[in-house]
């Protein structure tokens, strides 16, 4: 039986098999942010321990950062306290820290790849559920909790259950106005929010083969929303072209050796899977969530479901979600008024996302009464977007143009919904209260769909915009200020 990428990478990083069947797994890269790390560092201090591999540990600030340029000290005492803690911890433990003064600050899942820290064949951990993003490179990447952050800091190892592998094949071509976000929402809609529990999702087929890296990141990012802690795409020429030349990527001969190894770990055509699921790309419409989890999702041209179409607990859950969202079954989701439009988050805040949204917003005006904001995922994304004038397109249309951070994805910062506002959002979670108001309502959709909703003031099928979408791969050719210094990581990190 031929091994999958997960099998190969897992075996190479296995320190030992534990008596309870779990694996002690070596972690190649540990990404740290301000929210889940303070207690972990405090525990290290209590135990008198150092960070075991500081050269594999990198920190940034993203969740609590005000994106409107508010200076330090922050008005929010808790946010200020977290910032002070991360500054002290990186200083005391000797860790690289990408804060705003470096020009490299941003959402942890945006900066890891753009700095070239994220590489194929790695095991990666971070105290944030959406660490699965890094699987887009053919890495095995886990979101972990605070006590596991402590474990990785102290030992560079995690104790984890080996997942089964489900291959998710999407073949055919995506239509205009249909994006990576729609693909992953369609997958979660089909398999459910718990469908991936116990599995790693391997994404394959023509649709993923043709995706650029930022699109693959969008898909892998939301694996966790389908219950799969890990999601990955096998590395290929697109992956290698993205990594080459980035600040922490191997260089010269070392890159060539790494590239050969990276190519060798991809799942072969005869790999054996625990499950295989297939979808047709041409059957996927622009998707919109109507409920309180990402699996409660429909095509923008479909009616809102009725509890009567379902039985038992599912019927009850749908009725409760509809009541919270104040939606009527059978109605179209298109035409639903929105109060806020948010383009950002580690799912959809990269340059190509902003390009797609700007393509919709160009020459238009945000509808009266709609608050619209664009929050680039990193300082680098912001600089690249400004270099090509995207900020001017957004600002001319009436969008706010912000600094890098998580912003309204989870509202641990000043960007929050008020009351029962409805937000068209390019983020990844539509849980009750997620965007800062206990009664706030979130509709997940692609950045282009968010831009269309901002302009019309209602949920809108972006396919009506005749010029959408090239689904191009801008990051493969975009000049990056982050392509420069030599790599401190061992070559071909595995
Ligand atoms: S953007 Fe949202 S999901 Fe992503 S790291 Fe920030 S808070 Fe977490």
């Amino acid at each position: 039986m031929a091994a999958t990428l997960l099998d190969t990478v897992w075996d190479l990083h296995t320190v030992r098999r534990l008596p309870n069947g779990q694996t002690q797994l070596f972690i190649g890269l540990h990404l740290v942010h301000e929210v889940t790390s303070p207690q972990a560092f405090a525990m290290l201090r209590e135990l008198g321990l150092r960070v075991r591999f500081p050269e594999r540990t990198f920190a940034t600030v993203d969740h609590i950062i005000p994106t409107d340029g508010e200076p330090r000290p922050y008005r929010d005492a808790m946010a200020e306290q977290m910032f002070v803690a991360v500054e002290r911890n990186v200083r005391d433990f000797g860790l690289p820290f990408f804060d705003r003064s470096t020009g490299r600050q941003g959402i942890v899942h945006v900066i890891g790849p753009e700095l070239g820290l994220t590489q194929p064949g790695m095991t990666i951990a971070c105290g944030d559920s959406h660490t699965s993003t890094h699987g887009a490179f053919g890495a095995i990447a886990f979101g972990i909790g605070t006590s596991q952050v402590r474990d990785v800091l102290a030992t560079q190892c995690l104790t984890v259950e080996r997942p089964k592998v489900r291959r998710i094949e999407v073949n055919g071509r995506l239509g205009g106005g249909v994006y990576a976000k729609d693909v992953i929402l369609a997958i979660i809609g089909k398999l459910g929010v718990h469908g991936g529990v116990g599995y790693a999702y391997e994404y394959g087929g023509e649709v993923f083969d043709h995706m650029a890296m930022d699109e693959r990141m969008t898909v892998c990012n939301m694996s966790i929303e389908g219950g799969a802690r890990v999601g990955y795409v096998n590395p290929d020429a697109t992956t290698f072209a993205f990594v080459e030349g980035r600040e922490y990527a191997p260089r010269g001969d070392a890159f060539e050796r790494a590239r050969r190894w990276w190519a060798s770990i991809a799942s072969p055509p005869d790999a054996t899977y625990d499950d295989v699921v297939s979808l047709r790309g041409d059957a996927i419409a622009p998707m919109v969530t109507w409920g309180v989890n990402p699996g409660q999702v429909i095509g923008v041209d479909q009616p809102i479901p009725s509890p009567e179409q379902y039985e038992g607990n599912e019927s009850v859950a749908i009725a409760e979600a509809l009541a919270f969202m104040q939606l009527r079954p059978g109605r179209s989701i298109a035409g639903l008024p929105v109060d806020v439009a948010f383009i950002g988050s580690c799912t959809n805040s990269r340059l190509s996302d902003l390009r797609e949204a700007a393509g919709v917003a160009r020459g238009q005006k945000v509808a009266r009464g709609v608050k619209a904001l664009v929050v680039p995922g990193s300082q680098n994304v912001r600089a690249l977007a400004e270099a090509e004038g995207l900020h001017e397109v957004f600002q001319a249309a009436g969008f706010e143009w912000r600094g890098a951070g998580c912003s309204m994805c989870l509202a641990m910062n000043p960007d929050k919904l008020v009351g029962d506002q409805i937000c068209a959002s390019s983020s990844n979670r539509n849980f009750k209260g997620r965007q800062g108001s206990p009664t706030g309502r979130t509709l997940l959709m692609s950045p282009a769909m968010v831009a269309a909703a901002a302009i019309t003031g209602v949920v809108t099928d972006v396919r009506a915009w005749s010029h959408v979408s090239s689904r191009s791969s801008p990051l493969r050719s975009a000049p990056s200020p982050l392509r420069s210094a030599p790599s401190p990581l061992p070559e071909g990190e595995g």
Side-chain angles (χ1 to χ4, degrees):
M1 290 197 308
T4 62
L5 177 141
L6 182 125
D7 295 325
T8 303
V9 174
W10 196 276
D11 290 344
L12 284 169
H13 289 80
T14 295
V15 177
R16 68 171 70 95
R17 195 79 195 275
L18 301 172
N20 67 359
Q22 290 187 312
T23 305
Q24 183 186 3
L25 198 69
F26 184 79
I27 299 301
L29 173 67
H30 187 196
L31 299 168
V32 170
H33 64 85
E34 75 282 15
V35 174
T36 49
S37 66
Q39 283 174 298
F41 281 110
M43 288 188 262
L44 241 59
R45 280 196 182 87
E46 273 169 33
L47 297 166
L49 298 172
R50 306 300 301 166
V51 173
R52 183 69 182 80
F53 283 94
E55 69 276 24
R56 293 176 180 274
T57 310
F58 298 84
T60 190
V61 274
D62 50 11
H63 287 62
I64 53 96
I65 287 276
T67 60
D68 59 0
E70 182 187 331
R72 301 274 307 277
Y74 297 140
R75 287 186 301 266
D76 178 342
M78 177 83 84
E80 180 60 27
Q81 207 179 327
M82 284 186 194
F83 207 125
V84 168
V86 77
E87 285 175 318
R88 178 180 169 217
N89 290 329
V90 296
R91 192 179 57 239
D92 289 358
F93 290 92
L95 305 178
F97 179 38
F98 303 117
D99 74 354
R100 286 214 266 226
S101 67
T102 65
R104 297 171 173 88
Q105 176 265 335
I107 305 174
V108 66
H109 310 311
V110 175
I111 68 164
E114 73 184 11
L115 288 164
L117 289 166
T118 302
Q119 295 169 21
M122 278 185 164
T123 48
I124 300 175
C126 173
D128 183 275
S129 322
H130 296 88
T131 306
S132 54
T133 310
H134 305 262
F137 292 78
I140 301 304
F142 300 94
I144 55 177
T146 294
S147 56
Q148 290 175 308
V149 172
R150 172 204 58 197
D151 295 347
V152 179
L153 288 171
T155 68
Q156 205 63 30
C157 291
L158 264 183
T159 302
V160 270
E161 202 84 46
R162 185 182 191 129
K164 294 184 282 185
V165 183
R166 172 179 290 146
R167 166 99 171 168
I168 300 182
E169 282 263 341
V170 186
N171 288 306
R173 289 184 70 85
L174 300 181
V178 179
Y179 301 90
K181 181 64 157 286
D182 303 304
V183 174
I184 186 63
L185 284 172
I187 290 169
I188 298 169
K190 180 181 171 85
L191 298 175
V193 291
H194 302 301
V197 174
Y199 283 95
Y201 280 176
E202 177 181 300
Y203 302 101
E206 292 160 351
V207 164
F208 302 110
D209 290 345
H210 289 109
M211 279 185 179
M213 288 312 298
D214 44 340
E215 296 172 300
R216 294 178 185 179
M217 284 187 253
T218 296
V219 171
C220 290
N221 173 277
M222 289 192 68
S223 303
I224 186 67
E225 304 308 331
R229 215 170 153 197
V230 167
Y232 66 89
V233 177
N234 284 301
D236 61 8
T238 303
T239 322
F240 310 146
F242 183 98
V243 175
E244 187 171 15
R246 290 189 183 266
E247 183 172 342
Y248 287 89
R251 304 184 156 265
D253 290 347
F255 181 82
E256 283 313 309
R257 284 196 297 278
R259 192 176 56 74
R260 282 197 294 277
W261 182 69
W262 294 339
S264 77
I265 61 174
S267 304
D270 59 344
T272 311
Y273 298 95
D274 298 290
D275 192 25
V276 178
V277 171
S278 298
L279 279 79
R280 289 295 306 172
D282 29 37
I284 298 173
M287 305 294 285
V288 183
T289 58
W290 55 266
V292 293
N293 71 55
Q296 293 179 325
V297 65
I298 50 176
V300 66
D301 49 5
Q302 291 177 321
I304 294 167
S306 164
E308 282 142 32
Q309 296 167 263
Y310 298 85
E311 291 178 352
N313 290 344
E314 202 172 0
S315 175
V316 173
I318 289 171
E320 284 177 1
L322 290 174
F324 179 84
M325 295 298 290
Q326 303 174 35
L327 295 176
R328 291 238 195 103
R331 292 276 177 90
S332 171
I333 193 97
L336 181 70
V338 304
D339 305 296
V340 178
F342 168 60
I343 296 169
S345 88
C346 57
T347 314
N348 279 129
S349 64
R350 297 178 179 84
L351 185 60
S352 64
D353 299 315
L354 305 193
R355 282 178 172 158
E356 297 289 0
V360 172
R362 191 179 300 276
Q364 309 282 345
K365 288 284 177 203
V366 169
R368 257 174 71 187
V370 173
K371 178 186 172 71
L373 56 162
V374 181
V375 187
S378 69
Q379 290 179 305
N380 180 51
V381 170
R382 185 178 147 105
L384 293 174
E386 289 185 352
E388 54 187 76
L390 299 187
H391 63 310
E392 290 164 353
V393 173
F394 287 120
Q395 286 170 330
F399 288 80
E400 296 175 33
W401 177 248
R402 297 294 193 83
C406 296
S407 181
M408 207 178 266
C409 173
L410 91 169
M412 285 185 82
N413 54 69
D415 299 332
K416 299 180 199 302
L417 294 185
V418 178
D420 65 355
Q421 281 182 323
I422 297 186
C423 180
S425 179
S426 72
S427 55
N428 45 46
R429 286 192 165 159
N430 52 342
F431 303 160
K432 293 177 188 173
R434 171 76 175 179
Q435 292 191 291
S437 164
T439 51
R441 295 170 285 167
T442 302
L443 309 175
L444 301 178
M445 59 186 81
S446 71
M449 285 280 287
V450 175
I455 287 153
T456 60
V458 297
V459 174
T460 299
D461 188 340
V462 75
R463 292 174 295 190
W465 256 257
S466 57
H467 54 283
V468 300
S469 149
S470 57
R471 300 192 56 257
S472 58
S473 175
L475 288 181
R476 269 179 281 176
S477 55
S480 169
L482 302 178
R483 294 174 184 272
S484 55
S487 169
L489 287 183
E491 68 184 59
E493 208 304 318

